[in-house]
Amino acid sequence: MSRTAARLTRILSMIPYVIANPGVTVDEVCDRFGYTRNQLLSDLDLVFVCGLPGYGPGELMVAYVEDDEVVVDMAEYFSRPLRLNPAEGLGLLAAGMALVSAGQAPPALERAVTKLSAILLPDTQDALTVELGAAPQIVDLLRRAARDGSVVDLVYTSLAADATTVRSVEPWTVFSSMGNWYLGGYCRRAEDERVFRVDRIRSASVSDATFEPPQSPPAPEVRYTPSPDDVQADIRLGPNARWVADYYPVEVLDENGLIRFSASDASVIARLLLRLGSDADVVAGTEVSSVLAAMRSAIMARYN
């Protein structure tokens, strides 16, 4: 889940709770939803400028802290059960069916899809079908290894490092995201958690070694695990480049667009900065700045 999506989810969970519990304190809200005080105040400021279309004083919500009490007012629609229109219901159903088709739906979601189908499509059979493209053949091998707790030996090519390595991996999850399949697990070579793109696995075989899966593995999502040898750069993102903080696994340093980007190679960060152009500036990171300058010079030389 991106940083923006996670924040929105927390806000949409927090507002109904505050409305249903008048007099709730800052500490209670922070404990329940994992806020710091500054994060809560920032989200309440955001809620203060949100409301129903028209967005006049009578449509905007009221959200503030008074005497350590969290107050949300003029948002009674959050206290009522959510009612979807037909288009929204079908969109929700299609999204759920996509996860079921990809084999990523937990049992609770599969049951919810069945119930929602019965409500929205009561008199038809297979009126709505969502079938994603067939998964690569190697996905079945990785899923079986994850299910059985078997270590897999991978020959993996990293485009960022421009190297092919042999790794022994304890597979935890196999999932798809943004059109690609990924394997998440513990890499014994790196001695840390890693996420591998399946289409970059040259070969895979199940070894005789076994492992004990973690009781609470990390959520299946695309993320980057920095290492001590990584190159880092602090980058100030302009308004048109703020999407980088949501799309890439970066460390957000402040609310004004300052991020820390880590990569195994300085050219990875430099190529991104070339794309961003004047919408991003390097604040710290001499190695990345040098590579970026060389890339810019090479491009200008072609034009000249």
mmCIF file of all heavy atoms in Angstrom, residues 88-133:
data_model
loop_
_atom_site.group_PDB
_atom_site.id
_atom_site.type_symbol
_atom_site.label_atom_id
_atom_site.label_comp_id
_atom_site.label_asym_id
_atom_site.label_seq_id
_atom_site.Cartn_x
_atom_site.Cartn_y
_atom_site.Cartn_z
ATOM 1 N N GLU A 88 -20.666 1.513 -8.438
ATOM 2 C CA GLU A 88 -19.652 1.308 -7.405
ATOM 3 C C GLU A 88 -19.636 -0.140 -6.925
ATOM 4 O O GLU A 88 -18.569 -0.718 -6.681
ATOM 5 C CB GLU A 88 -19.921 2.249 -6.235
ATOM 6 C CG GLU A 88 -19.702 3.721 -6.554
ATOM 7 C CD GLU A 88 -20.217 4.646 -5.470
ATOM 8 O OE1 GLU A 88 -21.097 4.212 -4.696
ATOM 9 O OE2 GLU A 88 -19.747 5.799 -5.395
ATOM 10 N N GLY A 89 -20.816 -0.736 -6.786
ATOM 11 C CA GLY A 89 -20.889 -2.131 -6.364
ATOM 12 C C GLY A 89 -20.238 -3.069 -7.361
ATOM 13 O O GLY A 89 -19.496 -3.985 -6.976
ATOM 14 N N LEU A 90 -20.502 -2.851 -8.666
ATOM 15 C CA LEU A 90 -19.885 -3.698 -9.691
ATOM 16 C C LEU A 90 -18.370 -3.501 -9.735
ATOM 17 O O LEU A 90 -17.620 -4.457 -9.949
ATOM 18 C CB LEU A 90 -20.503 -3.393 -11.050
ATOM 19 C CG LEU A 90 -21.917 -3.932 -11.281
ATOM 20 C CD1 LEU A 90 -22.476 -3.435 -12.605
ATOM 21 C CD2 LEU A 90 -21.929 -5.457 -11.251
ATOM 22 N N GLY A 91 -17.917 -2.256 -9.532
ATOM 23 C CA GLY A 91 -16.477 -2.016 -9.506
ATOM 24 C C GLY A 91 -15.804 -2.737 -8.355
ATOM 25 O O GLY A 91 -14.733 -3.330 -8.514
ATOM 26 N N LEU A 92 -16.458 -2.698 -7.200
ATOM 27 C CA LEU A 92 -15.922 -3.399 -6.037
ATOM 28 C C LEU A 92 -15.909 -4.903 -6.266
ATOM 29 O O LEU A 92 -14.945 -5.604 -5.937
ATOM 30 C CB LEU A 92 -16.750 -3.053 -4.803
ATOM 31 C CG LEU A 92 -16.278 -3.629 -3.466
ATOM 32 C CD1 LEU A 92 -14.897 -3.107 -3.111
ATOM 33 C CD2 LEU A 92 -17.271 -3.280 -2.360
ATOM 34 N N LEU A 93 -16.984 -5.418 -6.857
ATOM 35 C CA LEU A 93 -17.068 -6.849 -7.143
ATOM 36 C C LEU A 93 -15.980 -7.266 -8.137
ATOM 37 O O LEU A 93 -15.327 -8.302 -7.957
ATOM 38 C CB LEU A 93 -18.456 -7.188 -7.688
ATOM 39 C CG LEU A 93 -18.683 -8.646 -8.118
ATOM 40 C CD1 LEU A 93 -18.464 -9.595 -6.946
ATOM 41 C CD2 LEU A 93 -20.092 -8.815 -8.679
ATOM 42 N N ALA A 94 -15.782 -6.472 -9.191
ATOM 43 C CA ALA A 94 -14.768 -6.803 -10.198
ATOM 44 C C ALA A 94 -13.370 -6.821 -9.586
ATOM 45 O O ALA A 94 -12.551 -7.690 -9.898
ATOM 46 C CB ALA A 94 -14.837 -5.813 -11.354
ATOM 47 N N ALA A 95 -13.090 -5.866 -8.692
ATOM 48 C CA ALA A 95 -11.778 -5.832 -8.044
ATOM 49 C C ALA A 95 -11.572 -7.080 -7.181
ATOM 50 O O ALA A 95 -10.491 -7.684 -7.179
ATOM 51 C CB ALA A 95 -11.649 -4.559 -7.197
ATOM 52 N N GLY A 96 -12.619 -7.463 -6.441
ATOM 53 C CA GLY A 96 -12.514 -8.669 -5.630
ATOM 54 C C GLY A 96 -12.320 -9.918 -6.466
ATOM 55 O O GLY A 96 -11.517 -10.794 -6.131
ATOM 56 N N MET A 97 -13.054 -9.994 -7.582
ATOM 57 C CA MET A 97 -12.922 -11.157 -8.467
ATOM 58 C C MET A 97 -11.542 -11.218 -9.100
ATOM 59 O O MET A 97 -11.019 -12.309 -9.362
ATOM 60 C CB MET A 97 -14.013 -11.107 -9.531
ATOM 61 C CG MET A 97 -15.425 -11.278 -8.976
ATOM 62 S SD MET A 97 -16.720 -11.061 -10.229
ATOM 63 C CE MET A 97 -16.485 -12.558 -11.206
ATOM 64 N N ALA A 98 -10.920 -10.049 -9.341
ATOM 65 C CA ALA A 98 -9.572 -10.035 -9.896
ATOM 66 C C ALA A 98 -8.578 -10.658 -8.925
ATOM 67 O O ALA A 98 -7.700 -11.436 -9.313
ATOM 68 C CB ALA A 98 -9.166 -8.608 -10.245
ATOM 69 N N LEU A 99 -8.718 -10.343 -7.643
ATOM 70 C CA LEU A 99 -7.830 -10.926 -6.640
ATOM 71 C C LEU A 99 -8.062 -12.429 -6.504
ATOM 72 O O LEU A 99 -7.120 -13.207 -6.351
ATOM 73 C CB LEU A 99 -8.034 -10.243 -5.291
ATOM 74 C CG LEU A 99 -7.498 -8.814 -5.175
ATOM 75 C CD1 LEU A 99 -7.922 -8.191 -3.852
ATOM 76 C CD2 LEU A 99 -5.984 -8.801 -5.295
ATOM 77 N N VAL A 100 -9.342 -12.855 -6.575
ATOM 78 C CA VAL A 100 -9.640 -14.285 -6.523
ATOM 79 C C VAL A 100 -9.018 -14.993 -7.710
ATOM 80 O O VAL A 100 -8.418 -16.063 -7.594
ATOM 81 C CB VAL A 100 -11.162 -14.512 -6.479
ATOM 82 C CG1 VAL A 100 -11.490 -15.994 -6.632
ATOM 83 C CG2 VAL A 100 -11.752 -13.972 -5.181
ATOM 84 N N SER A 101 -9.141 -14.374 -8.908
ATOM 85 C CA SER A 101 -8.584 -14.982 -10.118
ATOM 86 C C SER A 101 -7.069 -15.105 -10.046
ATOM 87 O O SER A 101 -6.489 -16.061 -10.559
ATOM 88 C CB SER A 101 -8.983 -14.139 -11.341
ATOM 89 O OG SER A 101 -8.373 -14.625 -12.512
ATOM 90 N N ALA A 102 -6.423 -14.112 -9.382
ATOM 91 C CA ALA A 102 -4.963 -14.137 -9.268
ATOM 92 C C ALA A 102 -4.480 -15.055 -8.153
ATOM 93 O O ALA A 102 -3.280 -15.224 -7.965
ATOM 94 C CB ALA A 102 -4.437 -12.722 -9.027
ATOM 95 N N GLY A 103 -5.419 -15.643 -7.403
ATOM 96 C CA GLY A 103 -5.041 -16.528 -6.308
ATOM 97 C C GLY A 103 -4.516 -15.796 -5.098
ATOM 98 O O GLY A 103 -3.828 -16.381 -4.254
ATOM 99 N N GLN A 104 -4.831 -14.495 -4.963
ATOM 100 C CA GLN A 104 -4.324 -13.695 -3.852
ATOM 101 C C GLN A 104 -5.399 -13.363 -2.826
ATOM 102 O O GLN A 104 -5.133 -12.632 -1.869
ATOM 103 C CB GLN A 104 -3.742 -12.382 -4.386
ATOM 104 C CG GLN A 104 -2.519 -12.558 -5.260
ATOM 105 C CD GLN A 104 -1.997 -11.220 -5.756
ATOM 106 O OE1 GLN A 104 -1.933 -10.969 -6.948
ATOM 107 N NE2 GLN A 104 -1.614 -10.351 -4.838
ATOM 108 N N ALA A 105 -6.603 -13.860 -3.020
ATOM 109 C CA ALA A 105 -7.699 -13.501 -2.119
ATOM 110 C C ALA A 105 -7.707 -14.413 -0.894
ATOM 111 O O ALA A 105 -7.695 -15.642 -1.028
ATOM 112 C CB ALA A 105 -9.034 -13.604 -2.856
ATOM 113 N N PRO A 106 -7.734 -13.840 0.293
ATOM 114 C CA PRO A 106 -7.888 -14.664 1.494
ATOM 115 C C PRO A 106 -9.301 -15.242 1.541
ATOM 116 O O PRO A 106 -10.199 -14.762 0.832
ATOM 117 C CB PRO A 106 -7.652 -13.674 2.634
ATOM 118 C CG PRO A 106 -7.983 -12.335 2.063
ATOM 119 C CD PRO A 106 -7.611 -12.407 0.610
ATOM 120 N N PRO A 107 -9.546 -16.272 2.357
ATOM 121 C CA PRO A 107 -10.880 -16.889 2.413
ATOM 122 C C PRO A 107 -11.997 -15.890 2.694
ATOM 123 O O PRO A 107 -13.086 -15.998 2.136
ATOM 124 C CB PRO A 107 -10.736 -17.918 3.543
ATOM 125 C CG PRO A 107 -9.283 -18.265 3.557
ATOM 126 C CD PRO A 107 -8.577 -17.000 3.195
ATOM 127 N N ALA A 108 -11.729 -14.905 3.560
ATOM 128 C CA ALA A 108 -12.774 -13.929 3.889
ATOM 129 C C ALA A 108 -13.191 -13.142 2.662
ATOM 130 O O ALA A 108 -14.387 -12.861 2.457
ATOM 131 C CB ALA A 108 -12.286 -12.988 4.984
ATOM 132 N N LEU A 109 -12.226 -12.771 1.810
ATOM 133 C CA LEU A 109 -12.565 -12.027 0.597
ATOM 134 C C LEU A 109 -13.314 -12.912 -0.393
ATOM 135 O O LEU A 109 -14.253 -12.455 -1.064
ATOM 136 C CB LEU A 109 -11.302 -11.466 -0.047
ATOM 137 C CG LEU A 109 -11.517 -10.663 -1.339
ATOM 138 C CD1 LEU A 109 -12.476 -9.504 -1.117
ATOM 139 C CD2 LEU A 109 -10.194 -10.169 -1.889
ATOM 140 N N GLU A 110 -12.935 -14.170 -0.501
ATOM 141 C CA GLU A 110 -13.659 -15.081 -1.400
ATOM 142 C C GLU A 110 -15.122 -15.208 -0.973
ATOM 143 O O GLU A 110 -16.026 -15.213 -1.819
ATOM 144 C CB GLU A 110 -12.983 -16.455 -1.402
ATOM 145 C CG GLU A 110 -11.589 -16.452 -2.035
ATOM 146 C CD GLU A 110 -10.997 -17.844 -2.081
ATOM 147 O OE1 GLU A 110 -11.687 -18.799 -1.658
ATOM 148 O OE2 GLU A 110 -9.856 -17.986 -2.539
ATOM 149 N N ARG A 111 -15.359 -15.302 0.347
ATOM 150 C CA ARG A 111 -16.742 -15.372 0.825
ATOM 151 C C ARG A 111 -17.489 -14.072 0.535
ATOM 152 O O ARG A 111 -18.676 -14.088 0.156
ATOM 153 C CB ARG A 111 -16.754 -15.674 2.327
ATOM 154 C CG ARG A 111 -16.223 -17.059 2.689
ATOM 155 C CD ARG A 111 -16.561 -17.414 4.135
ATOM 156 N NE ARG A 111 -15.930 -16.505 5.087
ATOM 157 C CZ ARG A 111 -14.716 -16.709 5.600
ATOM 158 N NH1 ARG A 111 -14.008 -17.779 5.259
ATOM 159 N NH2 ARG A 111 -14.209 -15.852 6.478
ATOM 160 N N ALA A 112 -16.793 -12.937 0.695
ATOM 161 C CA ALA A 112 -17.430 -11.651 0.426
ATOM 162 C C ALA A 112 -17.797 -11.511 -1.043
ATOM 163 O O ALA A 112 -18.871 -10.992 -1.386
ATOM 164 C CB ALA A 112 -16.503 -10.515 0.850
ATOM 165 N N VAL A 113 -16.926 -11.987 -1.935
ATOM 166 C CA VAL A 113 -17.214 -11.929 -3.377
ATOM 167 C C VAL A 113 -18.440 -12.776 -3.702
ATOM 168 O O VAL A 113 -19.310 -12.367 -4.487
ATOM 169 C CB VAL A 113 -15.982 -12.389 -4.186
ATOM 170 C CG1 VAL A 113 -16.360 -12.661 -5.645
ATOM 171 C CG2 VAL A 113 -14.884 -11.339 -4.113
ATOM 172 N N THR A 114 -18.540 -13.956 -3.091
ATOM 173 C CA THR A 114 -19.702 -14.823 -3.320
ATOM 174 C C THR A 114 -20.986 -14.148 -2.862
ATOM 175 O O THR A 114 -22.007 -14.159 -3.564
ATOM 176 C CB THR A 114 -19.516 -16.162 -2.587
ATOM 177 O OG1 THR A 114 -18.331 -16.807 -3.067
ATOM 178 C CG2 THR A 114 -20.706 -17.076 -2.816
ATOM 179 N N LYS A 115 -20.960 -13.531 -1.685
ATOM 180 C CA LYS A 115 -22.153 -12.861 -1.161
ATOM 181 C C LYS A 115 -22.530 -11.650 -2.007
ATOM 182 O O LYS A 115 -23.705 -11.415 -2.298
ATOM 183 C CB LYS A 115 -21.916 -12.430 0.292
ATOM 184 C CG LYS A 115 -21.772 -13.598 1.264
ATOM 185 C CD LYS A 115 -21.469 -13.098 2.674
ATOM 186 C CE LYS A 115 -21.307 -14.258 3.646
ATOM 187 N NZ LYS A 115 -20.944 -13.790 5.019
ATOM 188 N N LEU A 116 -21.530 -10.859 -2.403
ATOM 189 C CA LEU A 116 -21.804 -9.674 -3.206
ATOM 190 C C LEU A 116 -22.338 -10.056 -4.579
ATOM 191 O O LEU A 116 -23.230 -9.383 -5.123
ATOM 192 C CB LEU A 116 -20.533 -8.829 -3.337
ATOM 193 C CG LEU A 116 -20.688 -7.423 -3.921
ATOM 194 C CD1 LEU A 116 -21.682 -6.609 -3.114
ATOM 195 C CD2 LEU A 116 -19.331 -6.707 -3.975
ATOM 196 N N SER A 117 -21.828 -11.145 -5.146
ATOM 197 C CA SER A 117 -22.335 -11.613 -6.441
ATOM 198 C C SER A 117 -23.805 -12.008 -6.336
ATOM 199 O O SER A 117 -24.611 -11.723 -7.233
ATOM 200 C CB SER A 117 -21.518 -12.813 -6.929
ATOM 201 O OG SER A 117 -20.178 -12.471 -7.143
ATOM 202 N N ALA A 118 -24.158 -12.663 -5.231
ATOM 203 C CA ALA A 118 -25.554 -13.080 -5.052
ATOM 204 C C ALA A 118 -26.493 -11.885 -4.930
ATOM 205 O O ALA A 118 -27.651 -11.941 -5.346
ATOM 206 C CB ALA A 118 -25.661 -13.969 -3.816
ATOM 207 N N ILE A 119 -25.980 -10.769 -4.372
ATOM 208 C CA ILE A 119 -26.817 -9.585 -4.206
ATOM 209 C C ILE A 119 -26.922 -8.788 -5.505
ATOM 210 O O ILE A 119 -28.016 -8.382 -5.929
ATOM 211 C CB ILE A 119 -26.256 -8.693 -3.085
ATOM 212 C CG1 ILE A 119 -26.353 -9.413 -1.742
ATOM 213 C CG2 ILE A 119 -26.999 -7.357 -3.021
ATOM 214 C CD1 ILE A 119 -25.647 -8.692 -0.622
ATOM 215 N N LEU A 120 -25.794 -8.581 -6.175
ATOM 216 C CA LEU A 120 -25.799 -7.751 -7.372
ATOM 217 C C LEU A 120 -26.256 -8.497 -8.616
ATOM 218 O O LEU A 120 -26.811 -7.888 -9.537
ATOM 219 C CB LEU A 120 -24.390 -7.185 -7.613
ATOM 220 C CG LEU A 120 -23.851 -6.226 -6.551
ATOM 221 C CD1 LEU A 120 -22.430 -5.803 -6.885
ATOM 222 C CD2 LEU A 120 -24.750 -4.997 -6.431
ATOM 223 N N LEU A 121 -26.000 -9.809 -8.660
ATOM 224 C CA LEU A 121 -26.336 -10.603 -9.848
ATOM 225 C C LEU A 121 -27.138 -11.832 -9.428
ATOM 226 O O LEU A 121 -26.717 -12.976 -9.630
ATOM 227 C CB LEU A 121 -25.050 -11.024 -10.571
ATOM 228 C CG LEU A 121 -24.042 -9.907 -10.866
ATOM 229 C CD1 LEU A 121 -22.714 -10.484 -11.311
ATOM 230 C CD2 LEU A 121 -24.591 -8.951 -11.908
ATOM 231 N N PRO A 122 -28.317 -11.641 -8.862
ATOM 232 C CA PRO A 122 -29.040 -12.772 -8.267
ATOM 233 C C PRO A 122 -29.627 -13.747 -9.276
ATOM 234 O O PRO A 122 -29.791 -14.919 -8.966
ATOM 235 C CB PRO A 122 -30.155 -12.085 -7.470
ATOM 236 C CG PRO A 122 -30.377 -10.802 -8.196
ATOM 237 C CD PRO A 122 -29.031 -10.370 -8.689
ATOM 238 N N ASP A 123 -29.946 -13.277 -10.455
ATOM 239 C CA ASP A 123 -30.673 -14.128 -11.403
ATOM 240 C C ASP A 123 -29.824 -14.561 -12.585
ATOM 241 O O ASP A 123 -30.346 -15.055 -13.577
ATOM 242 C CB ASP A 123 -31.916 -13.377 -11.927
ATOM 243 C CG ASP A 123 -32.854 -12.991 -10.795
ATOM 244 O OD1 ASP A 123 -32.990 -13.798 -9.862
ATOM 245 O OD2 ASP A 123 -33.412 -11.879 -10.858
ATOM 246 N N THR A 124 -28.560 -14.345 -12.526
ATOM 247 C CA THR A 124 -27.701 -14.689 -13.664
ATOM 248 C C THR A 124 -26.528 -15.531 -13.191
ATOM 249 O O THR A 124 -26.107 -15.455 -12.045
ATOM 250 C CB THR A 124 -27.164 -13.429 -14.350
ATOM 251 O OG1 THR A 124 -26.500 -12.626 -13.372
ATOM 252 C CG2 THR A 124 -28.291 -12.635 -14.995
ATOM 253 N N GLN A 125 -26.001 -16.309 -14.069
ATOM 254 C CA GLN A 125 -24.859 -17.162 -13.780
ATOM 255 C C GLN A 125 -23.699 -16.717 -14.668
ATOM 256 O O GLN A 125 -23.834 -16.641 -15.888
ATOM 257 C CB GLN A 125 -25.189 -18.634 -14.069
ATOM 258 C CG GLN A 125 -24.063 -19.608 -13.725
ATOM 259 C CD GLN A 125 -23.828 -19.722 -12.232
ATOM 260 O OE1 GLN A 125 -24.723 -19.451 -11.457
ATOM 261 N NE2 GLN A 125 -22.627 -20.110 -11.853
ATOM 262 N N ASP A 126 -22.585 -16.393 -14.063
ATOM 263 C CA ASP A 126 -21.397 -15.951 -14.810
ATOM 264 C C ASP A 126 -21.686 -14.707 -15.636
ATOM 265 O O ASP A 126 -21.168 -14.541 -16.748
ATOM 266 C CB ASP A 126 -20.885 -17.071 -15.717
ATOM 267 C CG ASP A 126 -20.439 -18.295 -14.927
ATOM 268 O OD1 ASP A 126 -19.980 -18.107 -13.784
ATOM 269 O OD2 ASP A 126 -20.569 -19.410 -15.438
ATOM 270 N N ALA A 127 -22.540 -13.801 -15.121
ATOM 271 C CA ALA A 127 -22.806 -12.555 -15.847
ATOM 272 C C ALA A 127 -21.582 -11.656 -15.844
ATOM 273 O O ALA A 127 -21.366 -10.870 -16.763
ATOM 274 C CB ALA A 127 -23.994 -11.826 -15.218
ATOM 275 N N LEU A 128 -20.788 -11.765 -14.795
ATOM 276 C CA LEU A 128 -19.553 -10.982 -14.704
ATOM 277 C C LEU A 128 -18.410 -11.936 -14.411
ATOM 278 O O LEU A 128 -18.422 -12.650 -13.417
ATOM 279 C CB LEU A 128 -19.663 -9.932 -13.588
ATOM 280 C CG LEU A 128 -18.415 -9.077 -13.344
ATOM 281 C CD1 LEU A 128 -18.122 -8.207 -14.562
ATOM 282 C CD2 LEU A 128 -18.605 -8.199 -12.106
ATOM 283 N N THR A 129 -17.424 -11.955 -15.303
ATOM 284 C CA THR A 129 -16.280 -12.843 -15.152
ATOM 285 C C THR A 129 -15.005 -12.023 -15.263
ATOM 286 O O THR A 129 -14.849 -11.228 -16.191
ATOM 287 C CB THR A 129 -16.271 -13.938 -16.225
ATOM 288 O OG1 THR A 129 -17.497 -14.671 -16.131
ATOM 289 C CG2 THR A 129 -15.099 -14.879 -16.032
ATOM 290 N N VAL A 130 -14.120 -12.180 -14.318
ATOM 291 C CA VAL A 130 -12.826 -11.505 -14.355
ATOM 292 C C VAL A 130 -11.751 -12.579 -14.336
ATOM 293 O O VAL A 130 -11.618 -13.311 -13.359
ATOM 294 C CB VAL A 130 -12.654 -10.550 -13.156
ATOM 295 C CG1 VAL A 130 -11.268 -9.915 -13.190
ATOM 296 C CG2 VAL A 130 -13.739 -9.483 -13.168
ATOM 297 N N GLU A 131 -11.017 -12.689 -15.410
ATOM 298 C CA GLU A 131 -9.947 -13.664 -15.516
ATOM 299 C C GLU A 131 -8.668 -12.940 -15.906
ATOM 300 O O GLU A 131 -8.594 -12.342 -16.980
ATOM 301 C CB GLU A 131 -10.283 -14.733 -16.569
ATOM 302 C CG GLU A 131 -11.397 -15.681 -16.159
ATOM 303 C CD GLU A 131 -11.010 -16.610 -15.029
ATOM 304 O OE1 GLU A 131 -9.796 -16.738 -14.766
ATOM 305 O OE2 GLU A 131 -11.896 -17.212 -14.411
ATOM 306 N N LEU A 132 -7.676 -12.946 -15.061
ATOM 307 C CA LEU A 132 -6.391 -12.351 -15.388
ATOM 308 C C LEU A 132 -5.582 -13.321 -16.232
ATOM 309 O O LEU A 132 -5.881 -14.511 -16.318
ATOM 310 C CB LEU A 132 -5.628 -12.007 -14.115
ATOM 311 C CG LEU A 132 -6.341 -11.036 -13.159
ATOM 312 C CD1 LEU A 132 -5.440 -10.730 -11.963
ATOM 313 C CD2 LEU A 132 -6.746 -9.748 -13.858
ATOM 314 N N GLY A 133 -4.550 -12.796 -16.881
ATOM 315 C CA GLY A 133 -3.701 -13.647 -17.700
ATOM 316 C C GLY A 133 -3.062 -14.756 -16.870
ATOM 317 O O GLY A 133 -2.849 -14.612 -15.665
#
